[in-house]
Amino acid sequence: MRTGFDGTSMDDVARAAGVTRLIVYRIFESKHDLYTAVLDEVVEDLRRQFAPFPRPGDVAVMVLGVARRHPDGFRLLWRHAAHEPEFAAWAASFREVVYELTEARLAERMADAVLRHWAARAIVGY
């Protein structure tokens, strides 16, 4: 997270994990596979939390629970993946799903579609 995807080597990952690079490569074929696995773990936890769709007051608690369980992965998903060329489209796609879910929830209280669209993005961004 300090130097981004391109600036981080598998040696850096192994050193941070306290293992050898060989151990890392036994589990992940490439740095791309490792990054994707971290993101997939966070996304899967979020999916489990949001099925069925929670009540409005539960959303923040559920998202923060996922963030607590996967602090680095959550940071990668919400802050860093969008800025990595290999993962930007993936992150944008996931963020769109979150926007749509938020807009759907706001539809109960906001009739104006333009305002609802803006509010969903503001809420998610915040």
Side-chain angles (χ1 to χ4, degrees):
M1 290 187 342
R2 288 185 301 271
T3 58
F5 181 77
D6 288 334
T8 304
S9 69
M10 287 297 257
D11 285 327
D12 297 330
V13 171
R15 194 172 16 266
V19 298
T20 66
R21 184 173 63 162
L22 179 62
I23 297 296
V24 176
Y25 275 113
R26 280 189 181 164
I27 301 168
F28 303 101
E29 287 187 28
S30 68
K31 186 169 58 168
H32 183 275
D33 290 347
L34 169 63
Y35 199 97
T36 302
V38 171
L39 294 176
D40 283 344
E41 184 176 356
V42 175
V43 168
E44 186 54 37
D45 196 355
L46 285 165
R47 281 190 185 121
R48 280 192 306 271
Q49 296 302 309
F50 281 83
F53 198 80
R55 295 176 311 205
D58 296 340
V59 172
V61 171
M62 294 166 82
V63 170
L64 290 174
V66 173
R68 277 190 217 103
R69 287 190 292 281
H70 313 279
D72 293 336
F74 192 83
R75 215 172 280 118
L76 282 179
L77 175 63
W78 287 104
R79 189 178 301 158
H80 298 289
H83 305 290
E84 301 289 352
E86 290 188 56
F87 301 99
W90 191 90
S93 165
F94 183 73
R95 194 168 286 266
E96 264 314 305
V97 169
V98 175
Y99 290 149
E100 289 171 14
L101 289 171
T102 305
E103 277 192 59
R105 188 49 105 180
L106 290 173
E108 299 168 3
R109 297 172 191 247
M110 297 178 124
D112 184 330
V114 173
L115 180 60
R116 189 172 56 244
H117 182 81
W118 173 85
R121 277 142 187 81
I123 289 167
V124 170
Y126 181 72

PDB file of all heavy atoms in Angstrom, residues 36-50 66 70 73-74 77-78 90-91 94-95 97-98:
ATOM      1  N   THR A  36      -5.353  -9.773  -6.525  1.00  0.00           N
ATOM      2  CA  THR A  36      -6.729 -10.163  -6.810  1.00  0.00           C
ATOM      3  C   THR A  36      -7.317 -10.996  -5.672  1.00  0.00           C
ATOM      4  O   THR A  36      -8.477 -10.817  -5.303  1.00  0.00           O
ATOM      5  CB  THR A  36      -6.795 -10.943  -8.137  1.00  0.00           C
ATOM      6  OG1 THR A  36      -6.277 -10.115  -9.177  1.00  0.00           O
ATOM      7  CG2 THR A  36      -8.211 -11.340  -8.484  1.00  0.00           C
ATOM      8  N   ALA A  37      -6.526 -11.880  -5.095  1.00  0.00           N
ATOM      9  CA  ALA A  37      -7.007 -12.708  -3.988  1.00  0.00           C
ATOM     10  C   ALA A  37      -7.381 -11.848  -2.784  1.00  0.00           C
ATOM     11  O   ALA A  37      -8.400 -12.095  -2.124  1.00  0.00           O
ATOM     12  CB  ALA A  37      -5.952 -13.737  -3.599  1.00  0.00           C
ATOM     13  N   VAL A  38      -6.583 -10.825  -2.505  1.00  0.00           N
ATOM     14  CA  VAL A  38      -6.892  -9.929  -1.390  1.00  0.00           C
ATOM     15  C   VAL A  38      -8.201  -9.193  -1.663  1.00  0.00           C
ATOM     16  O   VAL A  38      -9.083  -9.123  -0.798  1.00  0.00           O
ATOM     17  CB  VAL A  38      -5.729  -8.935  -1.150  1.00  0.00           C
ATOM     18  CG1 VAL A  38      -6.136  -7.861  -0.153  1.00  0.00           C
ATOM     19  CG2 VAL A  38      -4.483  -9.666  -0.680  1.00  0.00           C
ATOM     20  N   LEU A  39      -8.340  -8.651  -2.868  1.00  0.00           N
ATOM     21  CA  LEU A  39      -9.572  -7.938  -3.215  1.00  0.00           C
ATOM     22  C   LEU A  39     -10.783  -8.873  -3.191  1.00  0.00           C
ATOM     23  O   LEU A  39     -11.841  -8.511  -2.679  1.00  0.00           O
ATOM     24  CB  LEU A  39      -9.440  -7.279  -4.587  1.00  0.00           C
ATOM     25  CG  LEU A  39      -8.410  -6.155  -4.696  1.00  0.00           C
ATOM     26  CD1 LEU A  39      -8.327  -5.666  -6.135  1.00  0.00           C
ATOM     27  CD2 LEU A  39      -8.702  -5.017  -3.749  1.00  0.00           C
ATOM     28  N   ASP A  40     -10.624 -10.076  -3.731  1.00  0.00           N
ATOM     29  CA  ASP A  40     -11.730 -11.042  -3.760  1.00  0.00           C
ATOM     30  C   ASP A  40     -12.203 -11.401  -2.351  1.00  0.00           C
ATOM     31  O   ASP A  40     -13.401 -11.566  -2.119  1.00  0.00           O
ATOM     32  CB  ASP A  40     -11.328 -12.314  -4.498  1.00  0.00           C
ATOM     33  CG  ASP A  40     -11.318 -12.161  -5.998  1.00  0.00           C
ATOM     34  OD1 ASP A  40     -11.909 -11.180  -6.501  1.00  0.00           O
ATOM     35  OD2 ASP A  40     -10.723 -13.018  -6.665  1.00  0.00           O
ATOM     36  N   GLU A  41     -11.268 -11.521  -1.421  1.00  0.00           N
ATOM     37  CA  GLU A  41     -11.632 -11.856  -0.042  1.00  0.00           C
ATOM     38  C   GLU A  41     -12.516 -10.763   0.572  1.00  0.00           C
ATOM     39  O   GLU A  41     -13.526 -11.053   1.217  1.00  0.00           O
ATOM     40  CB  GLU A  41     -10.371 -12.052   0.794  1.00  0.00           C
ATOM     41  CG  GLU A  41     -10.651 -12.491   2.206  1.00  0.00           C
ATOM     42  CD  GLU A  41      -9.381 -12.778   2.994  1.00  0.00           C
ATOM     43  OE1 GLU A  41      -8.278 -12.702   2.436  1.00  0.00           O
ATOM     44  OE2 GLU A  41      -9.521 -13.060   4.191  1.00  0.00           O
ATOM     45  N   VAL A  42     -12.154  -9.518   0.343  1.00  0.00           N
ATOM     46  CA  VAL A  42     -12.940  -8.402   0.874  1.00  0.00           C
ATOM     47  C   VAL A  42     -14.309  -8.353   0.198  1.00  0.00           C
ATOM     48  O   VAL A  42     -15.337  -8.207   0.868  1.00  0.00           O
ATOM     49  CB  VAL A  42     -12.195  -7.065   0.686  1.00  0.00           C
ATOM     50  CG1 VAL A  42     -13.057  -5.891   1.121  1.00  0.00           C
ATOM     51  CG2 VAL A  42     -10.887  -7.069   1.453  1.00  0.00           C
ATOM     52  N   VAL A  43     -14.328  -8.479  -1.116  1.00  0.00           N
ATOM     53  CA  VAL A  43     -15.590  -8.426  -1.857  1.00  0.00           C
ATOM     54  C   VAL A  43     -16.511  -9.567  -1.428  1.00  0.00           C
ATOM     55  O   VAL A  43     -17.715  -9.361  -1.237  1.00  0.00           O
ATOM     56  CB  VAL A  43     -15.338  -8.462  -3.381  1.00  0.00           C
ATOM     57  CG1 VAL A  43     -16.622  -8.690  -4.152  1.00  0.00           C
ATOM     58  CG2 VAL A  43     -14.671  -7.165  -3.820  1.00  0.00           C
ATOM     59  N   GLU A  44     -15.978 -10.743  -1.240  1.00  0.00           N
ATOM     60  CA  GLU A  44     -16.807 -11.879  -0.820  1.00  0.00           C
ATOM     61  C   GLU A  44     -17.397 -11.637   0.565  1.00  0.00           C
ATOM     62  O   GLU A  44     -18.561 -11.934   0.812  1.00  0.00           O
ATOM     63  CB  GLU A  44     -15.996 -13.179  -0.844  1.00  0.00           C
ATOM     64  CG  GLU A  44     -16.818 -14.407  -0.554  1.00  0.00           C
ATOM     65  CD  GLU A  44     -18.043 -14.551  -1.456  1.00  0.00           C
ATOM     66  OE1 GLU A  44     -17.975 -14.224  -2.652  1.00  0.00           O
ATOM     67  OE2 GLU A  44     -19.099 -14.986  -0.946  1.00  0.00           O
ATOM     68  N   ASP A  45     -16.615 -11.087   1.466  1.00  0.00           N
ATOM     69  CA  ASP A  45     -17.124 -10.771   2.800  1.00  0.00           C
ATOM     70  C   ASP A  45     -18.235  -9.721   2.702  1.00  0.00           C
ATOM     71  O   ASP A  45     -19.268  -9.833   3.351  1.00  0.00           O
ATOM     72  CB  ASP A  45     -15.997 -10.284   3.706  1.00  0.00           C
ATOM     73  CG  ASP A  45     -16.356 -10.317   5.184  1.00  0.00           C
ATOM     74  OD1 ASP A  45     -17.510 -10.634   5.540  1.00  0.00           O
ATOM     75  OD2 ASP A  45     -15.475 -10.003   6.002  1.00  0.00           O
ATOM     76  N   LEU A  46     -18.043  -8.702   1.862  1.00  0.00           N
ATOM     77  CA  LEU A  46     -19.088  -7.696   1.659  1.00  0.00           C
ATOM     78  C   LEU A  46     -20.355  -8.321   1.087  1.00  0.00           C
ATOM     79  O   LEU A  46     -21.461  -8.016   1.520  1.00  0.00           O
ATOM     80  CB  LEU A  46     -18.588  -6.581   0.737  1.00  0.00           C
ATOM     81  CG  LEU A  46     -17.621  -5.585   1.359  1.00  0.00           C
ATOM     82  CD1 LEU A  46     -16.927  -4.766   0.279  1.00  0.00           C
ATOM     83  CD2 LEU A  46     -18.340  -4.674   2.339  1.00  0.00           C
ATOM     84  N   ARG A  47     -20.207  -9.226   0.125  1.00  0.00           N
ATOM     85  CA  ARG A  47     -21.377  -9.901  -0.464  1.00  0.00           C
ATOM     86  C   ARG A  47     -22.159 -10.674   0.585  1.00  0.00           C
ATOM     87  O   ARG A  47     -23.386 -10.649   0.613  1.00  0.00           O
ATOM     88  CB  ARG A  47     -20.944 -10.840  -1.587  1.00  0.00           C
ATOM     89  CG  ARG A  47     -20.666 -10.147  -2.869  1.00  0.00           C
ATOM     90  CD  ARG A  47     -20.469 -11.153  -4.003  1.00  0.00           C
ATOM     91  NE  ARG A  47     -20.080 -10.426  -5.178  1.00  0.00           N
ATOM     92  CZ  ARG A  47     -18.965 -10.604  -5.861  1.00  0.00           C
ATOM     93  NH1 ARG A  47     -18.115 -11.547  -5.499  1.00  0.00           N
ATOM     94  NH2 ARG A  47     -18.686  -9.892  -6.913  1.00  0.00           N
ATOM     95  N   ARG A  48     -21.428 -11.394   1.436  1.00  0.00           N
ATOM     96  CA  ARG A  48     -22.098 -12.167   2.498  1.00  0.00           C
ATOM     97  C   ARG A  48     -22.862 -11.232   3.444  1.00  0.00           C
ATOM     98  O   ARG A  48     -23.960 -11.559   3.886  1.00  0.00           O
ATOM     99  CB  ARG A  48     -21.074 -12.979   3.293  1.00  0.00           C
ATOM    100  CG  ARG A  48     -20.638 -14.255   2.619  1.00  0.00           C
ATOM    101  CD  ARG A  48     -19.862 -15.155   3.564  1.00  0.00           C
ATOM    102  NE  ARG A  48     -18.722 -14.505   4.194  1.00  0.00           N
ATOM    103  CZ  ARG A  48     -17.487 -14.458   3.689  1.00  0.00           C
ATOM    104  NH1 ARG A  48     -17.230 -15.038   2.537  1.00  0.00           N
ATOM    105  NH2 ARG A  48     -16.517 -13.862   4.325  1.00  0.00           N
ATOM    106  N   GLN A  49     -22.281 -10.089   3.733  1.00  0.00           N
ATOM    107  CA  GLN A  49     -22.919  -9.144   4.646  1.00  0.00           C
ATOM    108  C   GLN A  49     -24.182  -8.529   4.048  1.00  0.00           C
ATOM    109  O   GLN A  49     -25.116  -8.209   4.763  1.00  0.00           O
ATOM    110  CB  GLN A  49     -21.950  -8.019   5.034  1.00  0.00           C
ATOM    111  CG  GLN A  49     -20.749  -8.471   5.806  1.00  0.00           C
ATOM    112  CD  GLN A  49     -21.129  -9.191   7.084  1.00  0.00           C
ATOM    113  OE1 GLN A  49     -21.923  -8.700   7.879  1.00  0.00           O
ATOM    114  NE2 GLN A  49     -20.580 -10.372   7.279  1.00  0.00           N
ATOM    115  N   PHE A  50     -24.184  -8.334   2.727  1.00  0.00           N
ATOM    116  CA  PHE A  50     -25.292  -7.635   2.082  1.00  0.00           C
ATOM    117  C   PHE A  50     -26.344  -8.565   1.485  1.00  0.00           C
ATOM    118  O   PHE A  50     -27.214  -8.126   0.750  1.00  0.00           O
ATOM    119  CB  PHE A  50     -24.769  -6.667   1.012  1.00  0.00           C
ATOM    120  CG  PHE A  50     -24.253  -5.400   1.616  1.00  0.00           C
ATOM    121  CD1 PHE A  50     -22.974  -5.332   2.122  1.00  0.00           C
ATOM    122  CD2 PHE A  50     -25.071  -4.291   1.720  1.00  0.00           C
ATOM    123  CE1 PHE A  50     -22.500  -4.177   2.707  1.00  0.00           C
ATOM    124  CE2 PHE A  50     -24.607  -3.125   2.301  1.00  0.00           C
ATOM    125  CZ  PHE A  50     -23.318  -3.068   2.804  1.00  0.00           C
ATOM    126  N   VAL A  66     -16.550  -5.401   7.993  1.00  0.00           N
ATOM    127  CA  VAL A  66     -15.679  -5.945   6.945  1.00  0.00           C
ATOM    128  C   VAL A  66     -14.325  -5.229   6.982  1.00  0.00           C
ATOM    129  O   VAL A  66     -13.271  -5.860   6.889  1.00  0.00           O
ATOM    130  CB  VAL A  66     -16.332  -5.819   5.552  1.00  0.00           C
ATOM    131  CG1 VAL A  66     -15.359  -6.220   4.451  1.00  0.00           C
ATOM    132  CG2 VAL A  66     -17.595  -6.669   5.481  1.00  0.00           C
ATOM    133  N   HIS A  70     -10.654  -7.032   7.546  1.00  0.00           N
ATOM    134  CA  HIS A  70      -9.694  -7.003   6.439  1.00  0.00           C
ATOM    135  C   HIS A  70      -9.161  -5.570   6.255  1.00  0.00           C
ATOM    136  O   HIS A  70      -9.391  -4.960   5.213  1.00  0.00           O
ATOM    137  CB  HIS A  70     -10.357  -7.431   5.130  1.00  0.00           C
ATOM    138  CG  HIS A  70     -11.177  -8.666   5.227  1.00  0.00           C
ATOM    139  ND1 HIS A  70     -10.637  -9.928   5.189  1.00  0.00           N
ATOM    140  CD2 HIS A  70     -12.519  -8.834   5.373  1.00  0.00           C
ATOM    141  CE1 HIS A  70     -11.616 -10.819   5.295  1.00  0.00           C
ATOM    142  NE2 HIS A  70     -12.750 -10.182   5.404  1.00  0.00           N
ATOM    143  N   GLY A  73      -6.863  -5.100   3.092  1.00  0.00           N
ATOM    144  CA  GLY A  73      -7.622  -5.434   1.888  1.00  0.00           C
ATOM    145  C   GLY A  73      -8.720  -4.427   1.608  1.00  0.00           C
ATOM    146  O   GLY A  73      -8.961  -4.046   0.465  1.00  0.00           O
ATOM    147  N   PHE A  74      -9.382  -3.974   2.657  1.00  0.00           N
ATOM    148  CA  PHE A  74     -10.434  -2.974   2.493  1.00  0.00           C
ATOM    149  C   PHE A  74      -9.836  -1.670   1.966  1.00  0.00           C
ATOM    150  O   PHE A  74     -10.396  -1.037   1.072  1.00  0.00           O
ATOM    151  CB  PHE A  74     -11.145  -2.740   3.831  1.00  0.00           C
ATOM    152  CG  PHE A  74     -12.406  -1.947   3.701  1.00  0.00           C
ATOM    153  CD1 PHE A  74     -13.589  -2.570   3.345  1.00  0.00           C
ATOM    154  CD2 PHE A  74     -12.417  -0.583   3.930  1.00  0.00           C
ATOM    155  CE1 PHE A  74     -14.773  -1.852   3.225  1.00  0.00           C
ATOM    156  CE2 PHE A  74     -13.584   0.149   3.814  1.00  0.00           C
ATOM    157  CZ  PHE A  74     -14.763  -0.488   3.459  1.00  0.00           C
ATOM    158  N   LEU A  77      -9.153  -2.083  -1.697  1.00  0.00           N
ATOM    159  CA  LEU A  77     -10.383  -2.036  -2.493  1.00  0.00           C
ATOM    160  C   LEU A  77     -10.904  -0.616  -2.644  1.00  0.00           C
ATOM    161  O   LEU A  77     -11.206  -0.172  -3.749  1.00  0.00           O
ATOM    162  CB  LEU A  77     -11.453  -2.911  -1.849  1.00  0.00           C
ATOM    163  CG  LEU A  77     -12.834  -2.865  -2.501  1.00  0.00           C
ATOM    164  CD1 LEU A  77     -12.778  -3.391  -3.925  1.00  0.00           C
ATOM    165  CD2 LEU A  77     -13.828  -3.660  -1.675  1.00  0.00           C
ATOM    166  N   TRP A  78     -11.041   0.114  -1.561  1.00  0.00           N
ATOM    167  CA  TRP A  78     -11.707   1.419  -1.585  1.00  0.00           C
ATOM    168  C   TRP A  78     -10.802   2.574  -1.964  1.00  0.00           C
ATOM    169  O   TRP A  78     -11.270   3.577  -2.462  1.00  0.00           O
ATOM    170  CB  TRP A  78     -12.361   1.711  -0.246  1.00  0.00           C
ATOM    171  CG  TRP A  78     -13.574   0.884  -0.065  1.00  0.00           C
ATOM    172  CD1 TRP A  78     -13.698  -0.213   0.729  1.00  0.00           C
ATOM    173  CD2 TRP A  78     -14.827   1.046  -0.736  1.00  0.00           C
ATOM    174  NE1 TRP A  78     -14.955  -0.731   0.599  1.00  0.00           N
ATOM    175  CE2 TRP A  78     -15.675   0.023  -0.286  1.00  0.00           C
ATOM    176  CE3 TRP A  78     -15.311   1.964  -1.663  1.00  0.00           C
ATOM    177  CZ2 TRP A  78     -16.976  -0.120  -0.727  1.00  0.00           C
ATOM    178  CZ3 TRP A  78     -16.615   1.827  -2.101  1.00  0.00           C
ATOM    179  CH2 TRP A  78     -17.430   0.795  -1.632  1.00  0.00           C
ATOM    180  N   TRP A  90     -11.838  -2.921 -12.636  1.00  0.00           N
ATOM    181  CA  TRP A  90     -12.430  -3.826 -11.658  1.00  0.00           C
ATOM    182  C   TRP A  90     -12.986  -3.017 -10.486  1.00  0.00           C
ATOM    183  O   TRP A  90     -14.119  -3.226 -10.058  1.00  0.00           O
ATOM    184  CB  TRP A  90     -11.346  -4.792 -11.193  1.00  0.00           C
ATOM    185  CG  TRP A  90     -11.820  -5.951 -10.381  1.00  0.00           C
ATOM    186  CD1 TRP A  90     -12.214  -7.169 -10.863  1.00  0.00           C
ATOM    187  CD2 TRP A  90     -11.942  -6.020  -8.967  1.00  0.00           C
ATOM    188  NE1 TRP A  90     -12.572  -7.986  -9.812  1.00  0.00           N
ATOM    189  CE2 TRP A  90     -12.402  -7.296  -8.636  1.00  0.00           C
ATOM    190  CE3 TRP A  90     -11.690  -5.122  -7.946  1.00  0.00           C
ATOM    191  CZ2 TRP A  90     -12.630  -7.699  -7.332  1.00  0.00           C
ATOM    192  CZ3 TRP A  90     -11.921  -5.518  -6.641  1.00  0.00           C
ATOM    193  CH2 TRP A  90     -12.382  -6.791  -6.352  1.00  0.00           C
ATOM    194  N   ALA A  91     -12.197  -2.083  -9.970  1.00  0.00           N
ATOM    195  CA  ALA A  91     -12.628  -1.254  -8.836  1.00  0.00           C
ATOM    196  C   ALA A  91     -13.804  -0.363  -9.230  1.00  0.00           C
ATOM    197  O   ALA A  91     -14.747  -0.198  -8.452  1.00  0.00           O
ATOM    198  CB  ALA A  91     -11.458  -0.415  -8.331  1.00  0.00           C
ATOM    199  N   PHE A  94     -16.997  -2.427  -9.321  1.00  0.00           N
ATOM    200  CA  PHE A  94     -17.498  -2.717  -7.986  1.00  0.00           C
ATOM    201  C   PHE A  94     -18.126  -1.473  -7.361  1.00  0.00           C
ATOM    202  O   PHE A  94     -19.193  -1.534  -6.766  1.00  0.00           O
ATOM    203  CB  PHE A  94     -16.385  -3.243  -7.092  1.00  0.00           C
ATOM    204  CG  PHE A  94     -16.891  -3.626  -5.734  1.00  0.00           C
ATOM    205  CD1 PHE A  94     -17.641  -4.774  -5.570  1.00  0.00           C
ATOM    206  CD2 PHE A  94     -16.656  -2.817  -4.648  1.00  0.00           C
ATOM    207  CE1 PHE A  94     -18.134  -5.123  -4.326  1.00  0.00           C
ATOM    208  CE2 PHE A  94     -17.153  -3.155  -3.403  1.00  0.00           C
ATOM    209  CZ  PHE A  94     -17.888  -4.312  -3.241  1.00  0.00           C
ATOM    210  N   ARG A  95     -17.490  -0.328  -7.537  1.00  0.00           N
ATOM    211  CA  ARG A  95     -18.024   0.922  -6.985  1.00  0.00           C
ATOM    212  C   ARG A  95     -19.383   1.239  -7.611  1.00  0.00           C
ATOM    213  O   ARG A  95     -20.286   1.730  -6.930  1.00  0.00           O
ATOM    214  CB  ARG A  95     -17.031   2.056  -7.204  1.00  0.00           C
ATOM    215  CG  ARG A  95     -17.353   3.272  -6.370  1.00  0.00           C
ATOM    216  CD  ARG A  95     -16.216   4.262  -6.364  1.00  0.00           C
ATOM    217  NE  ARG A  95     -15.105   3.837  -5.548  1.00  0.00           N
ATOM    218  CZ  ARG A  95     -14.931   4.193  -4.270  1.00  0.00           C
ATOM    219  NH1 ARG A  95     -15.793   4.973  -3.691  1.00  0.00           N
ATOM    220  NH2 ARG A  95     -13.900   3.780  -3.591  1.00  0.00           N
ATOM    221  N   VAL A  97     -21.637  -0.902  -8.550  1.00  0.00           N
ATOM    222  CA  VAL A  97     -22.610  -1.755  -7.869  1.00  0.00           C
ATOM    223  C   VAL A  97     -23.008  -1.124  -6.535  1.00  0.00           C
ATOM    224  O   VAL A  97     -24.186  -1.071  -6.178  1.00  0.00           O
ATOM    225  CB  VAL A  97     -22.052  -3.182  -7.656  1.00  0.00           C
ATOM    226  CG1 VAL A  97     -22.936  -3.993  -6.725  1.00  0.00           C
ATOM    227  CG2 VAL A  97     -21.875  -3.885  -8.984  1.00  0.00           C
ATOM    228  N   VAL A  98     -22.032  -0.607  -5.818  1.00  0.00           N
ATOM    229  CA  VAL A  98     -22.314   0.036  -4.534  1.00  0.00           C
ATOM    230  C   VAL A  98     -23.180   1.278  -4.742  1.00  0.00           C
ATOM    231  O   VAL A  98     -24.126   1.519  -3.990  1.00  0.00           O
ATOM    232  CB  VAL A  98     -21.008   0.380  -3.790  1.00  0.00           C
ATOM    233  CG1 VAL A  98     -21.290   1.162  -2.518  1.00  0.00           C
ATOM    234  CG2 VAL A  98     -20.225  -0.887  -3.489  1.00  0.00           C
TER     235      VAL A  98
END
